[in-house]
């Protein structure tokens, strides 16, 4: 597991993505990756958008194993990435939010509120409609 986590934070995108895919697959089957949730939380503050994207994906993937309520305790910091500085990171995270809401129904209203109040004006005009569409789709999926 240590080797996969080291690869996850590799600056080489292909290595990081390969590790992410493996860790997501493991997370889908067991809670073996969950003990590293604090590492994922720390990477939310990284200057590297790839690291933030990977951390967010793994936080969502491990929500069902979150018996310690680490996600609940950090929900505001997590949801702040709905408007991540990088629109690609924001879009990927927004698309994952219905899965987070399904795994953590007690956070559903927090997620919906954060989506509804998201300020997309920080994004260039070329990206803003895409982020807004992702937000609408996520809200509709979480609150049909």
């Amino acid at each position: 597991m240590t080797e996969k986590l080291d690869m996850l934070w590799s600056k080489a995108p292909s290595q990081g993505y390969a590790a992410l895919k493996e860790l997501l697959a493991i997370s889908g089957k067991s809670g073996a990756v969950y003990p590293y949730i604090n590492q994922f939380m720390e990477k939310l503050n990284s200057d590297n958008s790839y690291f933030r994207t990977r951390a967010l994906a793994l936080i969502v993937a491990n929500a069902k194993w979150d018996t310690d309520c680490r996600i609940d305790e950090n929900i505001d910091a997590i949801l702040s990435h709905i408007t991540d500085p990088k629109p690609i990171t924001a879009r990927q995270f927004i698309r994952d939010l219905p899965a987070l809401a399904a795994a953590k129904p007690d956070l559903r209203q927090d997620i919906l509120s954060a989506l509804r109040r998201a300020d997309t004006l920080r994004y260039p005009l070329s990206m803003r409609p895409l982020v807004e569409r992702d937000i609408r789709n996520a809200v509709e999926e979480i609150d049909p």
Side-chain angles (χ1 to χ4, degrees), residues 83 117-125 127-129 131-132 135:
T83 54
R117 71 173 182 269
D119 183 3
T120 59
L121 293 177
R122 75 180 313 156
Y123 299 121
L125 287 174
M127 292 300 294
R128 194 176 308 153
V131 174
E132 290 170 351
I135 289 171

Side-chain angles (χ1 to χ4, degrees), residues 86-101:
K86 293 287 186 176
I88 300 299
T89 298
R91 293 190 70 208
Q92 182 58 54
F93 178 52
I94 291 164
R95 285 186 229 136
D96 287 346
L97 283 174
L100 180 60

